[in-house]
């Protein structure tokens, strides 16, 4: 079984750079026809990017990623030049988290349980 979030994007190359080089997620599959596509992820969770000529805004949805050390992840992404759109902080539901926007305009929240 696999869970996959699929995103059509006009920023395919930047998105692949973000998930691949910046986050270090492995490519599990890629293709060039009829449109470029690439799947990144671990275990049963995947993010699939599909190159598109049109891009719709993402509303009411975000990607939530659990990490071992959220403080370190925040520092590393900021050091890589990624804008932190939601500052690092403790949440009342028991998470410490921060958020960024991926190149396609999708919010990505990184969290660690407190």
């Amino acid at each position: 079984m696999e869970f996959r979030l699929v995103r059509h994007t006009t920023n395919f190359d930047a998105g692949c750079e973000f998930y691949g080089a910046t986050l270090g997620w492995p490519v599990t599959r890629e293709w060039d026809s009829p449109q470029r596509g690439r799947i990144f992820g671990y275990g049963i969770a995947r993010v699939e990017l599909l190159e598109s000529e049109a891009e719709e805004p993402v509303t009411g949805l975000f990607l939530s990623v659990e990490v071992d050390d959220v403080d370190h992840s925040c520092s590393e992404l900021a050091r890589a030049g990624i804008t932190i759109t939601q500052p690092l902080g403790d949440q009342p539901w028991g998470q410490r988290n921060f958020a960024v926007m991926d190149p396609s305009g999708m919010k990505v929240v990184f969290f660690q349980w407190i």
Side-chain angles (χ1 to χ4, degrees):
M1 178 181 280
E2 178 178 285
F3 176 83
R4 190 181 311 171
L5 180 82
V6 180
R7 177 68 171 135
H8 292 264
T9 180
T10 58
N11 293 316
F12 180 79
D13 292 323
C16 289
E17 176 77 16
F18 176 77
Y19 287 101
T22 303
L23 296 184
W25 292 8
V27 174
T28 60
R29 187 162 183 236
E30 61 185 312
W31 58 93
D32 291 323
S33 180
Q35 69 197 71
R36 290 192 302 166
R38 196 166 294 162
I39 302 172
F40 298 88
Y42 292 98
I44 65 166
R46 304 275 190 267
V47 170
E48 179 177 342
L49 298 179
L50 297 172
E51 186 173 42
S52 178
E53 293 182 17
E55 189 165 14
E56 295 183 23
V58 178
T59 59
L61 174 77
F62 63 88
L63 179 62
S64 186
V65 180
E66 184 174 9
V67 295
D68 291 331
D69 186 341
V70 74
D71 292 82
H72 178 74
S73 295
C74 187
S75 295
E76 287 296 307
L77 287 176
R79 190 173 303 127
I82 305 298
T83 302
I84 307 302
T85 57
Q86 174 188 312
L88 185 63
D90 294 344
Q91 305 304 326
W93 52 88
Q95 291 180 356
R96 182 165 176 76
N97 65 19
F98 71 96
V100 302
M101 297 296 278
D102 84 356
S104 77
M106 182 169 54
K107 182 179 179 179
V108 181
V109 176
F110 296 88
F111 74 93
Q112 177 181 2
W113 292 103
I114 299 172

